[in-house]
Every structure is written in C-alpha cells, then in structure tokens.
Amino acid sequence: QVQLVESGGGLVQPGGSLRLSCAASGFFFSNYAMSWYRQAPGKERELVAAIISAGGSTNYADSVKGRFTISRDNAKKTVYLQMNSLKPEDTAVYYCKAVHIYSSNNYYWGQGTQVTVSS
C-alpha cells in the first residue's frame, strides 16, 4: 500500500540543524512532485518547500529561503529537507506530500514528524 514515512524530527536549539527524510513506497515515486509542509499549533498548514524532479526546480516559502534545502533521491524513493539556522518559529509538525505531476487530485500525505526548536 502507499506509504510516506517521515523521520529525522526532534528537539534542537536555536541556530541548530536537522535533516528530515520522507521515504515513499507503493507508488511510482518519479512521477510525483514532492513537498514539505508544516503546521504549528493553532495555525494552518503551510507549504515549506517543493521539488518537481531530482535536480529540477524547487521553491521555498519566504520564511525559510536561504536556510532550508529540499532534495530528492529517486533511486531511494526519498525526499529530504535540510534545515539550518533553525529558529523557534520553525517549531511545527512537518509533513511530506506527494502529488502526481499530471493529476493534482492524485496525492498522498505522510503522518508527520515533530520539530521543536527551543533552548
């Protein structure tokens, strides 16, 4: 069955780094654009970063530009989010999402991983 499994979250001090991973299975990974979203308590889920294909175009929320990097490895069916210079306002549950490149109604969500930035 289709699975998106996030990992790599945790507690980190301000200024620190984390690398999130999202491992996919059950669908043809290369045909899907991958993205990371986050949702903080009391706030709506927001797009953090997206990547269309390996080595392809990416886009980022203004709040994370220059600090976060999204990448993907199609052979490993995994998407990553490297997060540097973390701030307390980055605290949220981070979710990965897969959207078929030709059909936006065909998408999957992961279960989320908690990232907490605090001293």
Side-chain angles (χ1 to χ4, degrees):
Q1 75 273 23
V2 171
Q3 279 193 307
L4 288 173
V5 180
E6 298 99 333
S7 61
L11 174 64
V12 63
Q13 292 187 342
S17 297
L18 282 175
R19 188 194 196 203
L20 304 184
S21 299
C22 174
S25 61
F27 62 96
F28 196 66
F29 184 75
S30 298
N31 283 353
Y32 285 73
M34 300 299 297
S35 53
W36 287 95
Y37 284 73
R38 67 185 180 188
Q39 188 166 22
K43 294 188 176 181
E44 293 187 355
R45 193 172 296 190
E46 63 174 355
L47 176 67
V48 176
I51 184 167
I52 305 302
S53 62
S57 61
T58 58
N59 65 283
Y60 297 91
D62 288 343
S63 58
V64 307
K65 281 180 181 176
R67 300 188 298 122
F68 291 10
T69 302
I70 188 171
S71 61
R72 64 188 290 167
D73 185 332
N74 286 350
K76 294 183 178 179
K77 299 182 180 181
T78 301
V79 61
Y80 306 97
L81 186 68
Q82 178 67 43
M83 305 186 294
N84 299 328
S85 303
L86 283 161
K87 305 174 181 180
E89 51 263 42
D90 294 318
T91 296
V93 178
Y94 283 71
Y95 301 88
C96 70
K97 183 180 183 182
V99 181
H100 196 282
I101 57 176
Y102 297 124
S103 175
S104 59
N105 291 326
N106 183 351
Y107 62 90
Y108 309 109
W109 285 99
Q111 83 290 347
T113 185
Q114 176 71 47
V115 171
T116 303
V117 184
S118 175
S119 54

